[in-house]
Amino acid sequence: MKRTTPVVPAEDIRRQMGYCDELRALNARRPVPPLAWVDTYGCQQNEADSELLRGMLCEMGYQISDTEQGADVIVINTCAIREHAEQRVFGNVGALVHGKRRHPDQIVCLCGCMAQEPHVADRLRQSYRHVDLVFGPQALWRFPELLRRVYLRRGRVFETEPSDGAIAEGLPVRRSGKLKAWVSIMYGCNNFCSYCIVPYVRGRERSREPEIVLSEIRALVEQGYKDITLLGQNVNSYGKDLEGEMDFPALLERADAIPGDFLLRFMTSHPKDATEKLFDVMARCQKVAPCLHLPFQSGNTRVLAAMNRRYTREGYLEKVHALRQRIPDIVLTSDVIVGFPGETTQEFEDTLSLIEAVRFDALFTFIYSPRKGTPAAELPDPMPKQEKSANFERMVAVQDRISLEKHRAYIGSVQRCLIDGTAQGPDGGLTARTPGNRLVHLSGAPALIGQFAPVRITGCSTWALSGELAR
Ligand code: SF4
C-alpha cells in the first residue's frame, strides 16, 4: 500500500533507540536510578504522547515518578487549545525554577502543542532560562536524541521549527492503565477551523498503516485491555493519505473482528466527515461502544461558516437523525463554544435550541478563547465578557437539566458495565462505565475491577449514575 504522507525510516528510529542505550549506560553508573516525571495537560492525544515519552524515558534508564519532587528529568507536555491552560503552564513551569536551584543538574523539558507556537518558544527562550529542552509534537520521536544533547552538553535545545510531521513507528510505550488504552490511528489536522491552533502546531493529517494499528489493538486485547479508544484529531479523515480502500469505517470494522471481550471507542469525529457508512458500521459492530462524540460548536449556520466548520445547523441535525435511526439509544456528547467573535444573542439562541432539539447526554462547554495566529483572533468581538458568561451559564443550566433527565431514564435498567476502578472520596466504592461511557458508582469488592458485570441502575445525579451488581 502506497501512501502520500511521510514515514520516519526504521533506521532513524533505531538511531533513537541507540541514544536510549547510550543514556541508559550513563544512568547505570549513578548510585541510584534517576527519576523522571511527565506532567500532561490537555487532550487524550497528549496523554497518548506522554505514554510514549515515559516509554522512551524507561528505555533511557529513568524510573517514572509520580511527583516532581526529586525528579532528575521533568517533562511538561502542554496544550495550546485555550489561553487559560497556557497561563497555567507558564505559572507551573515558572515555579520549577526553585527546584532547579536546589538541584542544578535537573533537566526541565517542555513539549506538546505550546512548544510549537513561536511566541511561546520566544518567551521560554528569554524569560524561562531554567527550561533546558523545548520541542514540538512533530519532534517527539527524536526525544532521546534531544535529551542526550542536553545531558551531554548541558546547553539549551529548542526544536520547534514548523513541520508537517511524519509517522514514527516502533517507539516504546509505557501505558498508564491496565484496562483502558489509547491507540492513535492518525496525527495532525487539515481542517483549519478558524478558532483552532491545532493544525498550526500538529502538522498535516497522516494515518498509521492499518495493519500496524490492528496489531497494536490485538496485542492490547491479548494483554487484557478491555476499553480501547482510537484517537485522531478527526478520525473520519483516516486513510485519506493511504492508497486503496481503507477509510475509518473499514478500519473500525476490522478492529471489531479482533477476537476478545472488549469495547472500541473513538474520538474525535468532525461532523462534516461523519458518514452514514460510519453509522452503519457502528450499528452492526458488536464491540463498537454505542456512543459518539460529535462536536457541533454552534447551532447557527452563519457562525458555523465563520468558524470554517463546513456544515450547517440543518446538516448537523440530519446527521444526528441518521445516526439515531440506526442506533436509537446512542449516547451522544459534543463540544460547544459560546461567544465566538461576532456571535449575537439571537445566534446564541440557535445554539440553545439545537441543544434542546438534540438532547445530548453531556456537553463539553467553552467560552471562546482567542488563539494567537488563528483567523478568528483577528475578528471584531463586540459582545462584553459578562454577556458571554451569562449565555454560558444559561446553556450549562439547559444541558444540566437534560443530562439529569437522561440519567433518570436509566433508573431500573440493567447495564453491562466495565468495573474500572475505585471511587475517590470518603464513601469509597467502585466506579464503572456503561457501554455508552456514563459513569456509575456502586459498591463491591475491588477484585471485580477489570470485569464486565451487569449493574442495576438505582439512582443518578447530573454527572453520574449509581447502581448495584445485578447478579
Ligand atoms: S477539526 Fe477543527 S477543531 Fe478539530 S483539531 Fe482540526 S481545526 Fe481544530
Side-chain angles (χ1 to χ4, degrees), residues 115-116 133-136 139 142 146 149 157-161:
Q116 200 70 52
L133 170 58
V134 180
F135 60 101
R142 292 175 51 222
L146 302 173
R149 254 200 259 164
V157 172
F158 281 71
E159 195 67 33
T160 56
E161 284 303 300

Side-chain angles (χ1 to χ4, degrees), residues 257-408:
I258 292 172
D261 191 7
F262 64 98
L263 278 174
L264 277 169
R265 308 183 191 279
F266 55 90
M267 69 187 319
T268 297
S269 280
H270 195 304
K272 77 176 166 54
D273 301 315
T275 58
E276 297 201 0
K277 181 179 176 190
L278 172 66
F279 304 155
D280 286 337
V281 165
M282 289 176 71
R284 74 172 169 261
C285 286
Q286 295 297 306
K287 292 163 193 157
V288 176
C291 55
L292 183 66
H293 185 69
L294 196 64
F296 76 97
Q297 307 298 13
S298 167
N300 177 272
T301 296
R302 189 203 68 79
V303 176
L304 286 170
M307 289 176 164
N308 193 30
R309 291 290 287 174
R310 286 175 277 167
Y311 54 86
T312 61
R313 172 193 175 91
E314 292 71 29
Y316 185 89
L317 290 171
E318 277 164 23
K319 298 236 167 165
V320 170
H321 179 69
L323 176 62
R324 284 199 168 132
Q325 273 188 325
R326 290 162 176 82
I327 314 173
D329 58 352
I330 187 91
V331 169
L332 200 57
T333 55
S334 194
D335 296 336
V336 55
I337 297 171
V338 173
F340 183 80
E343 181 187 65
T344 64
T345 299
Q346 191 49 50
E347 288 168 339
F348 166 72
E349 295 293 336
D350 288 343
T351 291
L352 277 190
S353 73
L354 187 140
I355 293 170
E356 293 279 13
V358 174
R359 291 178 60 79
F360 296 98
D361 292 77
L363 273 183
F364 296 86
T365 50
F366 305 93
I367 295 182
Y368 171 75
S369 168
R371 307 314 298 128
K372 204 172 175 166
T374 61
E378 307 299 321
L379 292 174
D381 192 4
M383 189 181 277
K385 258 191 182 157
Q386 300 89 309
E387 200 174 332
K388 290 187 181 187
S389 299
N391 286 345
F392 181 82
E393 295 304 330
R394 276 179 69 203
M395 182 179 70
V396 168
V398 167
Q399 182 56 44
D400 283 356
R401 169 177 51 76
I402 294 170
S403 292
L404 187 58
E405 287 166 4
K406 291 210 129 192
H407 278 173
R408 280 196 185 123

Side-chain angles (χ1 to χ4, degrees), residues 10 70 90 125 142 178 210 216 224 248 283 310 321 347 350 419 434 449:
F90 276 121
R125 212 176 252 118
R142 292 175 51 222
K178 301 241 175 293
E216 186 170 332
F248 182 61
R310 286 175 277 167
H321 179 69
E347 288 168 339
D350 288 343
I419 317 269
T434 67
I449 294 171

Side-chain angles (χ1 to χ4, degrees), residues 189-193 195-199 233-234 270 297 309:
C189 181
N190 290 355
N191 289 310
F192 290 93
C193 300
Y195 52 84
C196 183
I197 195 72
V198 168
Q233 239 61 59
N234 174 17
H270 195 304
Q297 307 298 13
R309 291 290 287 174

